[in-house]
Amino acid sequence: MHYTVKNGIEYNSETADILHHRDTWYGYRRILAVNPDGHYFEAIIGSVLFGWQVFPFSRLRSVYWALQNKAPDQVLERLGVTVMPAPNVASEKPYEDLLICEFLHAKKKLFKNDFLYTIEVLCQNPPDGRFFLYDGMRLLRTFLFEDYIPMTQREALVWGIKHMASWESLEILGYKRTDAEKPTKV
């Protein structure tokens, strides 16, 4: 049995509900779990030297961890993610014009001036719901290249969380906010 208290919250290996685990090549086991009070955490169980290490997580961080560690769909659903079926569309079918697509989140890249401008935009194709990453570069306000990188829901959600997309965008990607994550009305 492993037991730790952090910030007044008890993390106990016997009472925690293990959601997913992953063994590392260097002999540690990384576990995503939730205690009976609903607090998520990552536990690393290793050698006698390090023992049991606990890292408290928010639910959003737990979703990110689960996606990064290839947790099954049931784990994501338990964490509050609506797992969407993959769109039944041929992979070579082109995406709609960017003016029609829904922009979920934009990330400026290396250059941000009138001479050279690069950008990445996470988008959703309106008729079929496919997600893709638009990667573009402008030189003197003329597009040099445009790349449309297809993404699964999991990949798009990881990208959105990593690059701090808005709550509304994360909800389109399948993340369901709890009441605590929603803004309070005054």
Side-chain angles (χ1 to χ4, degrees):
M1 177 178 95
H2 300 286
Y3 176 85
T4 302
V5 175
K6 283 194 174 185
N7 298 327
I9 300 169
E10 179 183 305
Y11 301 98
N12 187 331
S13 63
E14 287 190 2
T15 60
D17 186 12
I18 296 175
L19 302 175
H20 187 64
H21 75 274
R22 182 176 70 87
D23 293 326
T24 63
W25 61 271
Y26 44 88
Y28 293 95
R29 175 166 279 189
R30 298 179 67 189
I31 297 169
L32 178 63
V34 60
N35 72 7
D37 297 331
H39 297 280
Y40 296 96
F41 64 97
E42 176 188 24
I44 299 176
I45 301 173
S47 64
V48 175
L49 183 62
F50 291 108
W52 157 271
Q53 299 290 319
V54 172
F55 302 96
F57 280 175
S58 66
R59 189 170 67 90
L60 182 63
R61 178 70 176 101
S62 298
V63 168
Y64 184 76
W65 188 99
L67 290 165
Q68 290 287 87
N69 289 284
K70 297 175 179 38
D73 289 346
Q74 308 88 280
V75 172
L76 292 175
E77 289 169 351
R78 172 101 188 270
L79 289 168
V81 174
T82 303
V83 178
M84 301 173 199
N88 188 15
V89 180
S91 60
E92 64 275 352
K93 183 179 179 187
Y95 295 102
E96 299 296 323
D97 187 77
L98 277 180
L99 297 174
I100 299 171
C101 291
E102 181 157 359
F103 282 31
L104 300 177
H105 188 68
K107 174 188 159 238
K108 292 180 183 177
K109 287 176 52 179
L110 188 57
F111 302 101
K112 308 179 256 188
N113 55 53
D114 287 338
F115 178 71
L116 185 61
Y117 190 87
T118 56
I119 192 166
E120 284 182 352
V121 181
L122 180 61
C123 301
Q124 184 177 26
N125 205 42
D128 53 34
R130 291 180 292 164
F131 298 108
F132 66 94
L133 188 65
Y134 170 81
D135 188 2
M137 177 184 283
R138 290 187 326 197
L139 178 65
L140 295 174
R141 298 183 186 238
T142 304
F143 283 102
L144 283 182
F145 78 85
E146 298 177 305
D147 196 10
Y148 295 80
I149 304 163
M151 297 183 100
T152 64
Q153 176 196 6
R154 285 173 172 258
E155 293 168 336
L157 193 51
V158 165
W159 193 93
I161 294 170
K162 181 178 179 181
H163 297 291
M164 297 184 288
S166 69
W167 286 115
E168 292 77 18
S169 295
L170 293 178
E171 285 178 339
I172 292 170
L173 293 166
Y175 183 83
K176 291 184 250 177
R177 285 192 287 178
T178 62
D179 290 336
E181 292 169 327
K182 293 180 181 176
T184 57
K185 294 182 181 179
V186 185

